[in-house]
Coordinates of all heavy atoms in Angstrom, one line a residue:
M1 N -10.0 20.6 0.1 CA -9.6 19.4 0.8 C -9.5 18.3 -0.3 O -10.3 18.2 -1.2 CB -10.6 19.1 1.8 CG -10.2 18.1 2.9 SD -9.1 18.5 4.2 CE -10.2 19.2 5.4
R2 N -8.4 17.5 -0.1 CA -8.2 16.3 -1.0 C -8.1 15.0 -0.2 O -7.7 15.0 0.9 CB -6.8 16.5 -1.7 CG -6.8 17.7 -2.7 CD -7.6 17.5 -3.9 NE -7.4 18.6 -4.8 CZ -7.4 18.4 -6.1 NH1 -7.5 17.3 -6.7 NH2 -7.2 19.5 -6.9
K3 N -8.5 14.0 -0.9 CA -8.3 12.6 -0.3 C -7.2 11.9 -1.0 O -7.2 11.8 -2.2 CB -9.6 11.8 -0.4 CG -9.5 10.4 0.2 CD -10.7 9.5 -0.1 CE -11.9 10.0 0.6 NZ -13.1 9.1 0.5
V4 N -6.2 11.5 -0.2 CA -5.1 10.7 -0.8 C -5.3 9.3 -0.5 O -5.4 8.9 0.7 CB -3.8 11.3 -0.3 CG1 -2.6 10.5 -0.9 CG2 -3.6 12.8 -0.5
K5 N -5.3 8.4 -1.5 CA -5.4 7.0 -1.3 C -4.1 6.4 -1.5 O -3.5 6.4 -2.6 CB -6.5 6.4 -2.2 CG -7.9 6.9 -2.0 CD -8.8 6.3 -3.0 CE -10.3 6.7 -2.6 NZ -11.2 6.1 -3.5
I6 N -3.5 5.8 -0.5 CA -2.1 5.3 -0.5 C -2.1 3.8 -0.4 O -2.7 3.2 0.5 CB -1.3 5.9 0.7 CG1 -1.3 7.4 0.6 CG2 0.2 5.4 0.6 CD1 -0.8 8.1 1.8
H7 N -1.4 3.1 -1.3 CA -1.2 1.7 -1.3 C 0.3 1.4 -1.1 O 1.1 1.9 -1.8 CB -1.6 1.1 -2.7 CG -3.0 1.2 -3.0 ND1 -4.0 0.3 -2.7 CD2 -3.7 2.2 -3.6 CE1 -5.2 0.7 -3.1 NE2 -5.1 1.9 -3.6
I8 N 0.6 0.6 -0.1 CA 1.9 0.2 0.3 C 2.1 -1.3 0.1 O 1.3 -2.1 0.7 CB 2.2 0.7 1.7 CG1 2.1 2.2 1.8 CG2 3.7 0.2 2.1 CD1 2.2 2.7 3.2
T9 N 3.1 -1.7 -0.6 CA 3.4 -3.1 -0.9 C 4.8 -3.4 -0.6 O 5.7 -2.5 -0.8 CB 3.0 -3.5 -2.3 OG1 3.7 -2.7 -3.2 CG2 1.5 -3.4 -2.6
L10 N 5.1 -4.7 -0.3 CA 6.5 -5.1 -0.2 C 7.2 -5.1 -1.6 O 6.5 -5.5 -2.6 CB 6.6 -6.5 0.5 CG 6.2 -6.6 1.9 CD1 6.1 -8.0 2.4 CD2 7.3 -5.8 2.8
K11 N 8.4 -4.8 -1.6 CA 9.2 -4.9 -2.8 C 9.3 -6.3 -3.3 O 9.3 -7.2 -2.4 CB 10.6 -4.2 -2.7 CG 10.5 -2.7 -2.6 CD 11.9 -2.1 -2.5 CE 11.8 -0.6 -2.5 NZ 13.1 0.0 -2.5
E12 N 9.5 -6.5 -4.6 CA 9.7 -7.8 -5.1 C 10.9 -8.4 -4.5 O 11.9 -7.8 -4.3 CB 9.9 -7.7 -6.6 CG 9.5 -8.8 -7.5 CD 8.2 -9.4 -7.3 OE1 7.2 -8.7 -7.3 OE2 8.1 -10.6 -7.3
G13 N 10.8 -9.7 -4.1 CA 12.0 -10.4 -3.5 C 12.0 -10.3 -2.0 O 12.8 -11.0 -1.3
V14 N 11.2 -9.4 -1.4 CA 11.1 -9.3 0.1 C 10.2 -10.4 0.6 O 9.1 -10.5 0.1 CB 10.7 -7.9 0.6 CG1 10.5 -7.9 2.1 CG2 11.7 -6.9 0.1
L15 N 10.6 -11.2 1.6 CA 9.8 -12.3 2.1 C 8.6 -11.7 2.8 O 8.6 -10.7 3.5 CB 10.6 -13.0 3.2 CG 10.0 -14.2 3.8 CD1 9.7 -15.3 2.8 CD2 10.8 -14.8 4.9
D16 N 7.4 -12.4 2.5 CA 6.1 -11.9 3.0 C 5.5 -13.1 3.8 O 4.7 -13.8 3.2 CB 5.2 -11.5 1.8 CG 3.9 -10.9 2.2 OD1 3.6 -10.9 3.5 OD2 3.2 -10.4 1.4
P17 N 5.9 -13.2 5.0 CA 5.3 -14.4 5.8 C 3.8 -14.3 6.0 O 3.1 -15.3 6.0 CB 6.0 -14.3 7.2 CG 6.8 -13.0 7.2 CD 6.8 -12.5 5.8
Q18 N 3.2 -13.1 6.1 CA 1.8 -12.9 6.2 C 1.1 -13.4 4.9 O 0.1 -14.1 4.9 CB 1.4 -11.5 6.5 CG 0.0 -11.3 6.9 CD -0.4 -9.9 7.3 OE1 0.4 -9.0 7.2 NE2 -1.6 -9.7 7.8
G19 N 1.7 -13.0 3.8 CA 1.1 -13.5 2.5 C 1.2 -15.0 2.4 O 0.2 -15.6 1.9
K20 N 2.3 -15.6 2.8 CA 2.4 -17.0 2.7 C 1.4 -17.7 3.6 O 0.8 -18.8 3.2 CB 3.8 -17.5 3.1 CG 4.9 -17.1 2.1 CD 4.6 -17.9 0.8 CE 5.6 -17.5 -0.3 NZ 5.2 -17.8 -1.6
A21 N 1.1 -17.1 4.8 CA 0.1 -17.7 5.7 C -1.3 -17.7 5.1 O -2.1 -18.6 5.1 CB 0.1 -17.0 7.0
V22 N -1.6 -16.5 4.4 CA -2.9 -16.4 3.7 C -3.0 -17.4 2.6 O -4.0 -18.1 2.4 CB -3.1 -15.0 3.2 CG1 -4.3 -14.9 2.4 CG2 -3.2 -14.0 4.4
Q23 N -1.9 -17.5 1.8 CA -1.9 -18.5 0.7 C -2.1 -19.9 1.2 O -2.9 -20.6 0.6 CB -0.6 -18.4 0.0 CG -0.4 -19.4 -1.2 CD 0.9 -19.4 -1.8 OE1 1.8 -18.7 -1.4 NE2 1.1 -20.2 -2.8
H24 N -1.4 -20.3 2.3 CA -1.6 -21.6 2.9 C -3.1 -21.8 3.3 O -3.6 -22.9 3.1 CB -0.6 -21.8 4.0 CG -0.8 -23.1 4.7 ND1 -0.3 -24.3 4.2 CD2 -1.4 -23.4 5.9 CE1 -0.6 -25.3 5.0 NE2 -1.2 -24.8 6.1
S25 N -3.6 -20.8 3.9 CA -5.0 -20.9 4.4 C -6.0 -21.1 3.2 O -6.9 -21.9 3.3 CB -5.4 -19.7 5.2 OG -4.7 -19.7 6.4
L26 N -5.8 -20.3 2.2 CA -6.6 -20.4 1.0 C -6.5 -21.8 0.4 O -7.5 -22.4 0.0 CB -6.2 -19.4 -0.1 CG -6.7 -17.9 0.3 CD1 -6.0 -16.9 -0.6 CD2 -8.2 -17.8 0.3
R27 N -5.3 -22.3 0.3 CA -5.1 -23.7 -0.2 C -5.8 -24.7 0.7 O -6.3 -25.7 0.1 CB -3.6 -24.0 -0.3 CG -2.9 -23.2 -1.4 CD -2.4 -24.1 -2.5 NE -1.9 -23.3 -3.6 CZ -0.9 -23.6 -4.3 NH1 -0.2 -24.7 -3.9 NH2 -0.5 -22.9 -5.3
S28 N -5.7 -24.5 2.0 CA -6.4 -25.5 2.9 C -7.9 -25.4 2.7 O -8.6 -26.4 3.0 CB -6.0 -25.3 4.3 OG -6.6 -24.1 4.8
L29 N -8.4 -24.3 2.2 CA -9.9 -24.2 1.8 C -10.1 -24.6 0.4 O -11.2 -24.4 -0.1 CB -10.3 -22.8 2.1 CG -10.3 -22.3 3.5 CD1 -10.6 -20.8 3.6 CD2 -11.3 -23.0 4.3
E30 N -9.1 -25.2 -0.2 CA -9.2 -25.8 -1.6 C -9.3 -24.8 -2.7 O -9.8 -25.0 -3.7 CB -10.3 -26.8 -1.7 CG -10.1 -28.0 -0.7 CD -11.1 -29.1 -0.9 OE1 -12.0 -29.1 -1.8 OE2 -11.1 -30.0 0.0
Y31 N -8.7 -23.6 -2.4 CA -8.5 -22.6 -3.5 C -7.2 -22.9 -4.1 O -6.2 -22.1 -3.9 CB -8.7 -21.2 -3.0 CG -10.1 -20.8 -2.5 CD1 -10.4 -20.8 -1.2 CD2 -11.0 -20.5 -3.5 CE1 -11.7 -20.5 -0.8 CE2 -12.3 -20.2 -3.0 CZ -12.6 -20.2 -1.7 OH -13.9 -19.9 -1.3
N32 N -7.1 -24.0 -4.9 CA -5.8 -24.4 -5.4 C -5.3 -23.6 -6.6 O -4.1 -23.8 -7.0 CB -5.9 -25.9 -5.7 CG -6.2 -26.8 -4.5 OD1 -5.6 -26.5 -3.5 ND2 -7.1 -27.7 -4.6
N33 N -6.1 -22.7 -7.1 CA -5.6 -21.9 -8.2 C -4.8 -20.7 -7.7 O -4.3 -19.9 -8.5 CB -6.8 -21.5 -9.1 CG -7.8 -20.7 -8.3 OD1 -8.0 -20.9 -7.1 ND2 -8.5 -19.8 -9.0
V34 N -4.7 -20.5 -6.4 CA -4.0 -19.4 -5.8 C -2.5 -19.8 -5.8 O -2.1 -20.7 -5.1 CB -4.5 -19.0 -4.4 CG1 -3.6 -17.9 -3.8 CG2 -5.9 -18.5 -4.5
H35 N -1.6 -19.0 -6.5 CA -0.2 -19.4 -6.5 C 0.7 -18.5 -5.7 O 1.8 -18.9 -5.3 CB 0.3 -19.4 -8.0 CG -0.4 -20.4 -8.8 ND1 -0.1 -21.7 -8.8 CD2 -1.4 -20.2 -9.7 CE1 -0.9 -22.3 -9.6 NE2 -1.7 -21.5 -10.2
D36 N 0.2 -17.3 -5.3 CA 1.0 -16.4 -4.5 C 0.1 -15.4 -3.9 O -0.9 -15.0 -4.6 CB 2.1 -15.8 -5.3 CG 3.1 -15.1 -4.4 OD1 3.4 -15.5 -3.3 OD2 3.7 -14.1 -4.9
V37 N 0.4 -14.9 -2.7 CA -0.3 -13.8 -2.1 C 0.7 -12.9 -1.5 O 1.6 -13.3 -0.8 CB -1.3 -14.4 -0.9 CG1 -1.9 -13.2 -0.2 CG2 -2.3 -15.3 -1.5
R38 N 0.5 -11.6 -1.7 CA 1.3 -10.6 -1.2 C 0.4 -9.6 -0.4 O -0.6 -9.2 -0.9 CB 2.1 -9.8 -2.2 CG 2.9 -10.6 -3.2 CD 4.2 -11.0 -2.6 NE 5.1 -9.9 -2.5 CZ 6.3 -10.1 -1.9 NH1 6.6 -11.2 -1.3 NH2 7.1 -9.0 -1.8
V39 N 0.7 -9.4 0.9 CA -0.1 -8.6 1.7 C 0.5 -7.2 1.8 O 1.7 -7.0 2.0 CB -0.3 -9.2 3.1 CG1 -1.0 -8.3 4.1 CG2 -0.9 -10.6 3.0
G40 N -0.4 -6.2 1.7 CA 0.1 -4.8 1.8 C -0.8 -4.0 2.7 O -1.6 -4.6 3.5
R41 N -0.7 -2.7 2.6 CA -1.5 -1.8 3.4 C -2.2 -0.8 2.5 O -1.6 -0.4 1.5 CB -0.7 -1.1 4.5 CG 0.0 -2.0 5.5 CD 0.6 -1.3 6.6 NE 1.5 -0.2 6.3 CZ 2.8 -0.3 6.0 NH1 3.4 -1.5 5.9 NH2 3.5 0.8 5.8
Y42 N -3.3 -0.3 3.0 CA -4.0 0.8 2.3 C -4.5 1.8 3.3 O -4.9 1.5 4.4 CB -5.3 0.2 1.6 CG -6.2 1.2 1.1 CD1 -5.9 1.9 -0.1 CD2 -7.4 1.6 1.7 CE1 -6.8 2.9 -0.6 CE2 -8.2 2.5 1.3 CZ -7.9 3.2 0.1 OH -8.8 4.1 -0.4
M43 N -4.3 3.1 3.0 CA -4.8 4.1 3.9 C -5.3 5.3 3.1 O -4.9 5.5 2.0 CB -3.7 4.5 4.9 CG -2.4 5.0 4.3 SD -1.1 5.2 5.4 CE -0.6 3.5 5.6
E44 N -6.2 6.0 3.8 CA -6.7 7.3 3.2 C -6.3 8.4 4.1 O -6.5 8.3 5.3 CB -8.2 7.2 3.0 CG -8.7 6.2 2.0 CD -10.2 6.2 1.8 OE1 -10.9 6.9 2.5 OE2 -10.6 5.4 0.9
V45 N -5.9 9.5 3.5 CA -5.4 10.7 4.3 C -6.1 11.9 3.7 O -6.1 12.1 2.5 CB -3.9 10.9 4.2 CG1 -3.4 12.0 5.0 CG2 -3.2 9.6 4.7
L46 N -6.8 12.7 4.5 CA -7.4 13.9 4.1 C -6.4 15.0 4.3 O -5.9 15.2 5.5 CB -8.7 14.2 4.9 CG -9.9 13.3 4.5 CD1 -11.1 13.6 5.4 CD2 -10.3 13.4 3.1
V47 N -6.2 15.8 3.3 CA -5.2 16.9 3.4 C -5.7 18.2 2.8 O -6.6 18.1 1.9 CB -3.8 16.5 2.8 CG1 -3.2 15.4 3.5 CG2 -4.0 16.2 1.3
D48 N -5.2 19.3 3.2 CA -5.5 20.5 2.5 C -4.9 20.5 1.1 O -3.8 20.0 0.9 CB -4.9 21.7 3.3 CG -5.7 22.0 4.6 OD1 -6.9 21.7 4.6 OD2 -5.1 22.4 5.5
D49 N -5.6 21.1 0.2 CA -5.1 21.2 -1.2 C -4.0 22.3 -1.2 O -4.2 23.4 -0.7 CB -6.2 21.6 -2.2 CG -5.8 21.4 -3.6 OD1 -4.8 20.8 -3.9 OD2 -6.6 21.8 -4.5
K50 N -2.8 22.0 -1.8 CA -1.8 23.0 -1.9 C -0.9 22.7 -3.2 O -1.0 21.6 -3.7 CB -0.9 23.0 -0.7 CG -0.3 21.7 -0.3 CD 0.2 21.6 1.1 CE 1.6 22.4 1.2 NZ 2.2 22.2 2.5
E51 N -0.2 23.6 -3.5 CA 0.6 23.5 -4.8 C 1.6 22.4 -4.8 O 1.7 21.7 -5.8 CB 1.3 24.9 -5.0 CG 1.9 25.0 -6.4 CD 2.4 26.3 -6.7 OE1 1.7 27.3 -6.4 OE2 3.6 26.4 -7.2
D52 N 2.3 22.1 -3.8 CA 3.3 21.1 -3.7 C 2.8 19.8 -3.0 O 3.6 19.1 -2.3 CB 4.6 21.6 -3.1 CG 4.4 22.1 -1.7 OD1 3.2 22.3 -1.3 OD2 5.4 22.3 -1.0
L53 N 1.5 19.5 -3.2 CA 0.9 18.4 -2.5 C 1.6 17.1 -2.7 O 1.9 16.3 -1.8 CB -0.5 18.3 -2.8 CG -1.3 17.2 -2.1 CD1 -1.2 17.3 -0.6 CD2 -2.8 17.2 -2.5
E54 N 2.0 16.8 -4.0 CA 2.6 15.5 -4.3 C 3.9 15.4 -3.6 O 4.3 14.3 -3.1 CB 2.7 15.3 -5.8 CG 1.4 15.1 -6.5 CD 1.5 14.7 -7.9 OE1 2.5 14.2 -8.4 OE2 0.5 14.9 -8.6
A55 N 4.7 16.4 -3.6 CA 6.0 16.4 -2.9 C 5.8 16.1 -1.4 O 6.6 15.3 -0.8 CB 6.8 17.7 -3.1
E56 N 4.8 16.7 -0.8 CA 4.5 16.5 0.6 C 4.1 15.1 0.9 O 4.5 14.5 1.9 CB 3.5 17.5 1.1 CG 3.3 17.4 2.6 CD 2.4 18.6 3.1 OE1 2.4 19.6 2.5 OE2 1.9 18.4 4.2
I57 N 3.3 14.5 0.0 CA 2.8 13.1 0.2 C 4.0 12.2 0.0 O 4.2 11.2 0.8 CB 1.7 12.8 -0.8 CG1 0.5 13.6 -0.6 CG2 1.4 11.3 -0.8 CD1 -0.5 13.6 -1.7
D58 N 4.9 12.4 -0.9 CA 6.1 11.6 -1.1 C 6.9 11.6 0.2 O 7.4 10.6 0.7 CB 6.9 12.0 -2.3 CG 6.4 11.6 -3.6 OD1 5.7 10.5 -3.6 OD2 6.5 12.4 -4.6
K59 N 7.1 12.8 0.8 CA 7.8 13.0 2.0 C 7.2 12.2 3.2 O 7.9 11.6 3.9 CB 8.0 14.5 2.3 CG 9.0 14.8 3.4 CD 9.2 16.3 3.5 CE 10.2 16.6 4.6 NZ 10.4 18.0 4.7
M60 N 5.9 12.3 3.3 CA 5.1 11.6 4.3 C 5.4 10.1 4.2 O 5.7 9.4 5.2 CB 3.6 11.8 4.2 CG 3.1 13.1 4.7 SD 1.3 13.1 4.5 CE 1.0 14.7 4.1
C61 N 5.3 9.6 3.0 CA 5.5 8.1 2.8 C 6.9 7.7 3.1 O 7.1 6.7 3.7 CB 5.1 7.8 1.3 SG 3.3 7.9 1.0
D62 N 7.9 8.5 2.6 CA 9.3 8.2 2.8 C 9.7 8.2 4.3 O 10.5 7.5 4.7 CB 10.2 9.1 2.0 CG 10.1 8.8 0.5 OD1 9.8 7.6 0.1 OD2 10.4 9.7 -0.3
Q63 N 9.1 9.2 5.0 CA 9.5 9.4 6.4 C 8.8 8.5 7.4 O 9.3 8.2 8.5 CB 9.4 10.9 6.8 CG 10.4 11.8 6.1 CD 10.2 13.2 6.6 OE1 9.1 13.7 7.0 NE2 11.3 13.9 6.6
L64 N 7.5 8.2 7.1 CA 6.7 7.5 8.1 C 5.9 6.4 7.6 O 5.8 5.3 8.2 CB 5.8 8.6 8.9 CG 4.9 8.0 9.9 CD1 5.7 7.5 11.1 CD2 3.9 9.0 10.4
L65 N 5.1 6.6 6.6 CA 4.1 5.7 6.2 C 4.6 4.4 5.6 O 4.0 3.3 5.7 CB 3.1 6.4 5.3 CG 2.4 7.6 5.8 CD1 1.5 8.2 4.8 CD2 1.7 7.3 7.1
A66 N 5.7 4.5 4.9 CA 6.3 3.3 4.2 C 7.8 3.2 4.6 O 8.4 4.2 5.0 CB 6.2 3.4 2.7
N67 N 8.3 2.0 4.5 CA 9.7 1.8 4.7 C 10.3 1.6 3.3 O 10.2 0.6 2.7 CB 10.0 0.5 5.5 CG 11.4 0.2 5.8 OD1 12.3 0.8 5.1 ND2 11.7 -0.7 6.7
P68 N 11.0 2.7 2.8 CA 11.5 2.7 1.4 C 12.5 1.6 1.2 O 12.8 1.3 0.0 CB 12.0 4.1 1.2 CG 12.1 4.7 2.5 CD 11.2 4.0 3.5
V69 N 13.1 1.0 2.2 CA 14.1 0.0 2.0 C 13.4 -1.3 1.5 O 13.9 -2.0 0.6 CB 14.9 -0.3 3.3 CG1 15.8 -1.5 3.1 CG2 15.7 0.9 3.7
I70 N 12.3 -1.6 2.0 CA 11.6 -2.9 1.7 C 10.2 -2.7 1.1 O 9.6 -3.7 0.7 CB 11.5 -3.8 2.9 CG1 10.6 -3.2 4.0 CG2 12.9 -4.2 3.4 CD1 10.3 -4.1 5.1
E71 N 9.7 -1.5 1.0 CA 8.3 -1.3 0.5 C 8.3 -0.3 -0.6 O 9.1 0.7 -0.7 CB 7.4 -0.8 1.6 CG 7.2 -1.8 2.8 CD 6.4 -1.2 3.9 OE1 6.7 -0.1 4.3 OE2 5.6 -2.0 4.5
N72 N 7.3 -0.5 -1.5 CA 7.0 0.5 -2.5 C 5.6 1.1 -2.2 O 4.8 0.5 -1.4 CB 6.8 -0.2 -3.9 CG 8.1 -0.7 -4.4 OD1 9.1 -0.1 -4.4 ND2 8.0 -1.9 -5.0
Y73 N 5.4 2.3 -2.6 CA 4.1 2.9 -2.4 C 3.6 3.6 -3.7 O 4.4 4.0 -4.5 CB 4.1 3.9 -1.2 CG 5.0 5.1 -1.4 CD1 4.5 6.2 -2.1 CD2 6.3 5.1 -1.0 CE1 5.3 7.4 -2.3 CE2 7.1 6.2 -1.2 CZ 6.6 7.3 -1.8 OH 7.4 8.4 -2.0
S74 N 2.3 3.7 -3.8 CA 1.7 4.5 -4.9 C 0.5 5.2 -4.3 O 0.0 4.8 -3.2 CB 1.3 3.6 -6.1 OG 0.4 2.7 -5.7
Y75 N 0.0 6.2 -4.9 CA -1.1 6.9 -4.4 C -1.9 7.6 -5.5 O -1.4 7.9 -6.6 CB -0.7 7.9 -3.3 CG 0.3 9.0 -3.8 CD1 -0.1 10.1 -4.4 CD2 1.6 8.8 -3.5 CE1 0.8 11.1 -4.8 CE2 2.6 9.7 -3.9 CZ 2.1 10.9 -4.6 OH 3.0 11.8 -5.0
T76 N -3.1 7.9 -5.2 CA -4.0 8.7 -6.0 C -4.5 9.9 -5.2 O -4.7 9.7 -4.0 CB -5.1 8.0 -6.7 OG1 -5.9 7.4 -5.6 CG2 -4.6 6.9 -7.6
I77 N -4.7 11.0 -5.8 CA -5.3 12.2 -5.2 C -6.6 12.5 -5.8 O -6.7 12.6 -7.0 CB -4.3 13.4 -5.3 CG1 -3.0 13.0 -4.7 CG2 -4.9 14.6 -4.6 CD1 -1.9 14.1 -5.0
E78 N -7.6 12.7 -5.0 CA -9.0 13.0 -5.5 C -9.6 14.1 -4.6 O -9.2 14.3 -3.5 CB -9.8 11.8 -5.7 CG -10.1 11.0 -4.4 CD -10.8 9.7 -4.6 OE1 -10.4 9.0 -5.5 OE2 -11.8 9.5 -3.9
E79 N -10.7 14.7 -5.1 CA -11.4 15.6 -4.3 C -12.1 14.9 -3.2 O -12.6 13.8 -3.3 CB -12.5 16.3 -5.2 CG -12.0 17.2 -6.2 CD -11.5 18.5 -5.7 OE1 -11.9 18.9 -4.6 OE2 -10.6 19.1 -6.3
A80 N -12.0 15.5 -2.0 CA -12.7 14.9 -0.8 C -14.2 15.3 -0.9 O -14.5 16.4 -1.4 CB -12.1 15.4 0.5
G81 N -15.0 14.5 -0.5 CA -16.4 14.9 -0.6 C -17.3 13.8 -0.3 O -18.2 13.4 -0.1

């Protein structure tokens, strides 16, 4: 069994209203050194180990987990345990 840790972020240039709201809130709390905030998603998926695991993960991300038009994703694979 493997644990896949997936990070999904908006592509550069895509408006991030949630990130702007967080940035505004941080500034209102006087964290004035914060210049930009981008909000993304993180998920962990447990999968069976198989030979073409990376291709399958890419397919999962492209078909369901991420929107490839506006989002990038990256992942790491490690032993589950």
